């Protein structure tokens, strides 16, 4: 269906967080002078956030508890999208965490996201035990093992794709019923639902990588945490100038996709707030 026309297209910044956002003042600096070009939505699942920036005050939405790995994580994403879609001017929807910080100026990020016709959803086939090995056979025939994909949670999607996510009930139900951690094949819903969905319904409409830099090279359940000593000028320069996207698979093979890639945000990770992130 044709999308409604907007005379003032905006980016919806959707924060998925357990409580307060430690980088509100940094985001305030990033957004300063760009009023009317962005919207903010905060989903706090554990405790009511205390806001230090007026830009975030009154931007909380109704939220429910989230359990890592369960479909409740996807439910929170859909709840954020549903609220953001109410504003017809929101054209790009960016999922962020409490530990995300911007890497470029607002104009750079805005023009980059608005100037493309694809959604940035990380999506790749992992033939190892933490990829295809998680596929629940109960998803068949709607979802075949050959359709099953993996990817980091963070996304930036177009309005058309945001509506597609909310409209889906068939594939969502399969994940809700059969994709659970520590049961059977230890399926993690937020790592597989969107990559699998878009691999099936619109594979040509996504980038297969995310604009949020996340380092999975350590092979752990969570991405690498950046300490204060790690965050240097060289690190930030390397991240913002890279033109390669590495997908580390669980069968010890590393796939390297040569892409013109750009990171617009970086995850500093939970409770690790380098001086760079505090003082930007």
């Amino acid at each position: 269906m044709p999308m409604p026309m907007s005379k003032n297209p905006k980016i919806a910044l959707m924060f998925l967080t357990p409580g307060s956002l430690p980088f509100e003042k940094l985001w305030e600096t990033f957004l300063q002078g760009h009023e009317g070009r962005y919207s903010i939505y905060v989903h706090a699942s554990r405790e009511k956030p205390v806001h230090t920036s007026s830009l975030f005050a009154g931007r909380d939405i109704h939220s429910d508890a989230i359990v890592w790995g369960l479909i409740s994580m996807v439910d929170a994403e859909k709840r954020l999208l549903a609220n953001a879609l109410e504003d017809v001017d929101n054209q790009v929807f960016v999922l962020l965490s409490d530990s995300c910080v911007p890497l470029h100026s607002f104009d750079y990020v805005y023009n980059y996201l608005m100037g493309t016709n694809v959604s940035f959803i990380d999506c790749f086939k992992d033939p190892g035990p933490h990829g295809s090995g998680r596929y629940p056979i109960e998803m068949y025939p709607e979802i075949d093992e050959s359709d099953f994909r993996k990817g980091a949670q963070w996304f930036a999607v177009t309005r058309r794709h945001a509506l597609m996510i909310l409209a889906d009930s068939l594939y969502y139900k399969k994940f809700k019923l059969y994709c659970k951690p520590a049961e059977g094949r230890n399926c993690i819903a937020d790592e597989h639902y969107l990559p699998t969905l878009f691999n099936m319904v619109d594979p040509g409409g996504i980038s297969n990588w995310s604009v949020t830099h996340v380092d999975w090279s350590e092979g752990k359940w969570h991405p690498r945490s950046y300490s204060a000593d790690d965050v240097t000028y060289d690190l930030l320069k390397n991240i913002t100038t890279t033109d390669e996207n590495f997908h580390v698979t669980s069968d010890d093979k590393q796939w390297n996709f040569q892409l013109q890639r750009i990171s617009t945000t970086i995850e500093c990770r939970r409770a690790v707030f380098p001086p760079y992130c505090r003082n930007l």
Side-chain angles (χ1 to χ4, degrees), residues 88-209:
V88 71
D89 288 329
N90 287 333
Q91 298 297 306
V92 179
F93 304 77
V94 184
L95 183 67
L96 299 161
S97 77
D98 55 324
S99 52
C100 283
V101 297
L103 286 171
H104 293 273
S105 68
F106 180 87
D107 282 332
Y108 192 104
V109 174
Y110 182 91
N111 292 333
Y112 188 84
L113 295 178
M114 289 295 181
T116 181
N117 60 353
V118 299
S119 289
F120 297 96
I121 296 177
D122 195 25
C123 176
F124 66 101
K125 186 172 180 61
D126 179 355
H130 300 307
S132 297
R134 292 174 172 176
Y135 168 75
I137 191 63
E138 294 85 356
M139 289 186 174
Y140 186 82
E142 289 84 0
I143 304 172
D144 188 83
E145 183 177 346
S146 62
D147 299 316
F148 199 64
R149 294 293 185 272
K150 183 180 181 178
Q153 180 182 13
W154 314 116
F155 60 73
V157 298
T158 63
R159 187 174 185 90
R160 180 171 66 91
H161 281 163
L163 288 166
M164 288 173 63
I165 294 170
L166 291 188
D168 172 53
S169 60
L170 175 64
Y171 303 115
Y172 168 82
K173 186 176 181 179
K174 287 288 183 175
F175 274 86
K176 182 176 182 178
L177 291 174
Y178 304 118
C179 186
K180 301 175 182 179
E183 288 190 19
R185 293 177 178 266
N186 199 37
C187 186
I188 310 298
D190 61 90
E191 292 184 10
H192 296 285
Y193 170 63
L194 287 185
T196 300
L197 172 66
F198 281 94
N199 176 61
M200 298 183 70
V201 302
D202 192 10
I206 63 173
S207 63
N208 295 334
W209 46 272

